[in-house]
Amino acid sequence: QMCIRDRLGIDTSGMFAGLGVGGLTLGFAVQSTLQDVIAAFTIFVDRPFQVGDWISLRGGESGQVKWIGLRSTKLRIRDIGQTITVPNHIIVGSIITNYTVHEDEAEVFREAASKCGGLNHHLLGSESCPPTDEGSEGKVDRFSAMELVVRLDSDPDALDHVDRLVGDAIGESASDGAKFESCNLMEISPRGLNFDVKYTIFQSDTDEYKKVRHGINLRILRRLHGAGLKLVGNVVAMHVNT
C-alpha cells in the first residue's frame, strides 16, 4: 500500500501529521469535559452552594447561581442582568464564598448559641465553646458584605465622606449588635464607583438580624442621598455567617 501511495504521488506524512494533531485536540477536549463532569459530581455531593445562592469565586466572578450542569454553572450578575458561564472544574478549584444563609444553617447557629450560652465563632464539630465577650449571650457573628455603586459624575469631595457616612449609619445600630468594619473604593468601572462595605451583626435570631440589616440599609441610603450621592441600579447586599 505504501508503494501504491508513493507511485500515485500521495504525501502520507502530512496526512499522519494531521491525524496526530486532530487526535491530540480531541484528547484535550475529552479530558476537559471529564474534568467538568467530575467537578459537577463534586458540587452535587459537597454542595458548597445551590441554585438561588449568591456566591463569589477567587477569580472575581460573582452572582446568583441560576443553573448547575454537568459541564458548567451559570451565574447571573445582579446589577446588569447578564449571565456568565463558568466551567465546573474552575469552580471546584477556586475558593468559593457563599453569601446565602439558609434556614437550616440558621437553626444550627441558634442551637449552638443556646448550648454555649453565648457564641462568637461557631465551629462545627467543636466539643467546647469558645470564650465570649460580656453581653454576647445567645449571639452569633453574622458577617455582612455590601457593594455600593455610586455614579461616576459624583462630586469627588463628597466621595471622601462615604466611609464616614456608611460607618455612622451602621454605628447607629450598635445597640442591636452591629459593628462597622470597613468601607473602601475598590473599583472604578464604566457602570460606576464600586464601594465595598463590610460589617458584622451579632444576632442569632434570623428575623432580628434581617430587621437590623433593613434599618442599616435605609440609613445608608438616606445619608448618601443627603450628601448628594446617587447609586447606580440596585444595591447588592449579601451576608454570610462565620
Side-chain angles (χ1 to χ4, degrees), residues 216-226 229 231 235:
I216 289 174
N217 290 340
L218 287 179
R219 284 195 298 274
I220 289 176
L221 290 175
R222 291 193 185 101
R223 288 176 180 273
L224 292 178
H225 181 75
L229 298 171
L231 300 179
V235 177

Side-chain angles (χ1 to χ4, degrees), residues 42-213:
T42 302
I43 293 173
F44 293 145
V45 172
D46 200 34
R47 297 189 66 187
F49 54 82
Q50 54 187 278
V51 173
D53 288 0
W54 287 93
I55 68 171
S56 65
L57 306 179
R58 178 173 53 186
E61 302 87 354
S62 64
Q64 185 180 32
V65 179
K66 302 302 295 182
W67 183 76
I68 304 172
L70 288 178
R71 291 198 58 190
S72 62
T73 295
K74 297 184 184 297
L75 304 178
R76 176 178 171 271
I77 304 175
R78 181 169 184 172
D79 285 346
I80 57 180
Q82 293 182 348
T83 300
I84 58 176
T85 302
V86 185
N88 286 330
H89 75 273
I90 292 180
I91 293 179
V92 172
S94 174
I95 296 176
I96 305 170
T97 302
N98 191 334
Y99 297 101
T100 303
V101 178
H102 300 282
E103 287 302 318
D104 56 342
E105 295 173 337
E107 183 62 29
V108 170
F109 288 122
R110 283 194 291 268
E111 291 180 0
S114 63
K115 290 179 181 179
C116 290
L119 182 63
N120 281 342
H121 299 284
H122 173 54
L123 301 176
L124 291 176
S126 176
E127 297 180 354
S128 61
C129 298
T132 60
D133 296 331
E134 184 178 355
S136 64
E137 287 79 2
K139 302 296 180 66
V140 175
D141 286 22
R142 293 179 183 255
F143 176 77
S144 297
M146 175 187 295
E147 181 186 31
L148 297 174
V149 185
V150 182
R151 290 179 48 166
L152 286 171
D153 58 355
S154 300
D155 183 3
D157 292 333
L159 294 175
D160 285 337
H161 303 293
V162 172
D163 178 78
R164 177 180 57 80
L165 294 172
V166 172
D168 290 346
I170 296 174
E172 288 188 20
S173 291
S175 60
D176 295 319
K179 179 183 178 182
F180 174 64
E181 302 290 346
S182 64
C183 176
N184 300 294
L185 177 59
M186 300 300 293
E187 182 183 11
I188 300 176
S189 65
R191 67 184 180 125
L193 308 169
N194 300 344
F195 284 85
D196 181 61
V197 179
K198 291 182 173 61
Y199 59 98
T200 305
I201 299 177
F202 297 92
Q203 283 288 347
S204 58
D205 185 86
T206 301
D207 291 334
E208 289 299 320
Y209 166 72
K210 290 179 179 179
K211 290 179 182 179
V212 175
R213 191 159 59 95

Side-chain angles (χ1 to χ4, degrees), residues 1-6 9-20:
Q1 293 179 351
M2 293 290 294
C3 294
I4 295 175
R5 285 194 292 268
D6 291 340
I10 300 175
D11 185 5
T12 58
S13 61
M15 182 186 303
F16 288 130
L19 290 174

